[in-house]
Amino acid sequence: MDLKYLYTFRTIVDEGGFRKAAQKLHYTQSTITFQMNQLEQELSTCLFEKIGRKMVLTKAGESLVPYVDEILQSIDKLRSFESDLSEYQGDLRVGIAETQLCYRFPAILKEFHQKAPKARLFLRSMNCYDIRDELLSGTLDIGIFYEDVGGFGSNLITYEIGDFPTVLVASPETVRLHPDFITADQTLQVPFVINEPKCIFRQIFEEYLRLKAIRLGHTIELWSIPTIKNLVASGVGITYLPLFTVQEELKTGTLAEIRTDMKHPTITAVCGYHKNKWVSPLMQLFIDLCKGHGNMEMF
């Protein structure tokens, strides 16, 4: 059996179809179809069926997925033995929440590169829900995300690397104009400047607003925490962020905290990987560095 057929099969499952798998693997769609026909012949079973205009897994195809995962993971292990395991070598795919990457992980990444100069680190700044999903699908080796997203049960092995307070902040002038975010059932004509809708701390604060029946003017969505802070510091609106991202601005007075009556507003960051993932020496090094730094200051 040709291993590339199994890689193609897993890519089709991950990408959700033949066309997207062809794009991901840089194959023609006819090549994808040929490989799957060959795999079906070798296994003497039908793996895909056409429903409408979409190819979906048959019951046999669904049953094959865990076996393919086991084979591909074993191949990864074998490849690791091609190099000297006394040295940290190979590739490591890590997805990390932007706030952690920007404000808390520079020290970890520096130490990682010092200890593993031969390693190739593929680092992506990602939304926490996407990190969770890609860990579950096996696309990522390690994820640094906020466990508040939930939805992974016992499928991921995680280590807590910090509990972080969150705060509502604005420019001092905005705080003077809108100091009350405690009184329920009110409308405040001030913009909420924040990350995308799947941002976990945005969801936490929006739930608080719903419970308090507090309505804001409108929401400005941006994709960069530094840009959000700069805009809010200039008096455009309010934002809700982990405290460690705004500590310097609070010290210098460019931002000020707005009081709320949220109970224990914290989020928990974790380092995680799939429970079936083989932990290579390189993975273990990264995990140990994350656990070792924990709640230490990383500015």
Side-chain angles (χ1 to χ4, degrees):
M1 182 178 294
D2 195 326
L3 280 174
K4 70 172 175 282
Y5 297 166
L6 300 183
Y7 281 110
T8 298
F9 174 80
R10 181 69 244 196
T11 304
I12 293 170
V13 174
D14 290 339
E15 297 297 318
F18 282 38
R19 181 178 59 83
K20 289 184 178 179
Q23 293 173 347
K24 180 76 176 287
L25 296 172
H26 304 292
Y27 289 159
T28 63
Q29 195 159 333
S30 61
T31 299
I32 297 287
T33 302
F34 171 79
Q35 290 185 6
M36 291 304 94
N37 286 338
Q38 292 296 109
L39 185 59
E40 288 179 331
Q41 288 180 25
E42 291 190 34
L43 296 174
S44 300
T45 189
C46 180
L47 300 175
F48 297 93
E49 59 185 346
K50 194 168 185 178
I51 297 181
R53 297 194 304 175
K54 190 174 182 181
M55 297 295 288
V56 299
L57 286 171
T58 63
K59 291 295 183 183
E62 292 176 357
S63 299
L64 181 63
V65 171
Y67 293 99
V68 171
D69 286 345
E70 185 176 348
I71 291 170
L72 297 182
Q73 287 165 12
S74 295
I75 294 299
D76 285 342
K77 294 178 186 180
L78 286 172
R79 284 175 176 162
S80 293
F81 285 104
E82 295 174 2
S83 61
D84 181 2
L85 290 183
S86 65
E87 297 183 15
Y88 298 116
Q89 301 183 49
D91 298 344
L92 190 65
R93 300 162 299 172
V94 179
I96 182 168
E98 184 198 4
T99 49
Q100 291 289 318
L101 177 59
C102 287
Y103 298 96
R104 299 194 64 82
F105 261 68
I108 285 179
L109 297 176
K110 179 181 179 181
E111 188 172 352
F112 176 80
H113 283 295
Q114 288 173 342
K115 292 186 174 181
K118 296 182 180 180
R120 294 199 306 170
L121 179 63
F122 296 91
L123 192 65
R124 293 166 58 195
S125 175
M126 300 172 63
N127 173 273
C128 291
Y129 288 96
D130 295 334
I131 293 172
R132 176 201 65 190
D133 293 344
E134 292 204 23
L135 286 173
L136 291 172
S137 69
T139 308
L140 291 174
D141 296 317
I142 296 175
I144 309 299
F145 61 105
Y146 295 112
E147 70 171 2
D148 306 71
V149 300
F152 51 85
S154 62
N155 292 305
L156 300 183
I157 295 174
T158 60
Y159 302 98
E160 289 190 12
I161 58 174
D163 291 317
F164 303 105
T166 49
V167 291
L168 181 64
V169 297
S171 69
E173 178 62 16
T174 302
V175 174
R176 187 183 67 80
L177 294 173
H178 303 283
D180 182 9
F181 274 76
I182 295 177
T183 302
D185 196 15
Q186 59 173 321
T187 298
L188 302 172
Q189 294 303 323
V190 58
F192 183 31
V193 188
I194 197 63
N195 214 313
E196 41 128 2
K198 289 170 68 177
C199 166
I200 189 65
F201 36 86
R202 169 178 175 170
Q203 293 176 344
I204 292 171
F205 185 64
E206 287 180 336
E207 176 62 18
Y208 171 76
L209 293 178
R210 282 190 290 271
L211 292 174
K212 299 288 286 189
I214 297 175
R215 297 163 295 279
L216 302 183
H218 61 283
T219 299
I220 299 174
E221 290 183 8
L222 297 171
W223 294 87
S224 163
I225 300 298
T227 303
I228 289 170
K229 293 197 301 178
N230 289 338
L231 203 61
V232 170
S234 69
V236 171
I238 63 168
T239 192
Y240 185 75
L241 296 170
L243 175 61
F244 64 80
T245 67
V246 294
Q247 275 185 327
E248 291 303 314
E249 289 80 5
L250 290 172
K251 287 178 183 177
T252 60
T254 54
L255 290 175
E257 183 177 353
I258 302 176
R259 289 193 310 109
T260 70
D261 62 357
M262 298 178 70
K263 304 299 182 185
H264 309 297
T266 62
I267 51 178
T268 301
V270 295
C271 170
Y273 59 93
H274 196 282
K275 65 178 182 180
N276 294 331
K277 188 76 177 175
W278 178 65
V279 180
S280 68
L282 193 61
M283 274 186 65
Q284 192 62 58
L285 170 64
F286 195 93
I287 292 166
D288 290 343
L289 289 175
C290 293
K291 292 163 63 177
H293 279 268
N295 271 314
M296 292 170 61
E297 293 297 327
M298 300 184 193
F299 299 103

